[in-house]
Structures are given as structure tokens and as C-alpha cells.
Amino acid sequence: GKQQFGRDFPFVRFQAFDLNRDPDGQGLPPGGFDVALASNVVHATDDIGRSLARLWRLVKPCLLYTSDA
């Protein structure tokens, strides 16, 4: 994403996030993000419920949208 969109959106933080690991250990603060994008990845994790809970912890109170086909 950063290669394709970083120049047009310099205010966006691009970072990989391993949904199978705790976000705290990856330097990702709870409620530290306005948006988290996850496309075709949540269904491939070890535990979908736990992965969604980790995503919820990262974003400020808002709507969470995932696109998993």
C-alpha cells in the first residue's frame, strides 16, 4: 500500500499487522487508529474471533468493515 498510495497520502501510516499476535507486542497502541483495513486476511487467521477482537482494540470507537470473500 505504501508504495502505491504513500506519495498521495503522506498522512497515512502504513504498517503490517500480524492478526495472530497481540498488537501490543507489535507497537500498536489500543485505540490508536481511526481506520484499520483488512482485506482477505481475517478468515485465514488461527482464530477469527480473537483476530476481530484485536482489530477492535486498535481502532477508536467506529464502524469496523472487513472485506473477506
Side-chain angles (χ1 to χ4, degrees):
K2 186 175 186 175
Q3 277 185 302
Q4 186 171 354
F5 301 109
R7 197 180 300 183
D8 293 330
F9 301 97
F11 52 89
V12 173
R13 176 180 172 184
F14 296 89
Q15 180 175 342
F17 168 45
D18 183 348
L19 285 168
N20 289 312
R21 293 180 35 228
D22 191 274
D24 294 331
Q26 299 178 64
L28 303 170
F33 299 89
D34 295 319
V35 176
L37 301 176
S39 180
N40 292 320
V41 296
V42 177
H43 71 279
T45 60
D46 294 337
D47 183 320
I48 292 172
R50 191 175 355 190
S51 297
L52 288 172
R54 288 176 176 148
L55 282 172
W56 274 114
R57 270 189 18 221
L58 290 176
V59 294
K60 295 175 184 170
C62 68
L63 172 67
L64 175 65
Y65 173 80
T66 66
S67 173
D68 273 358

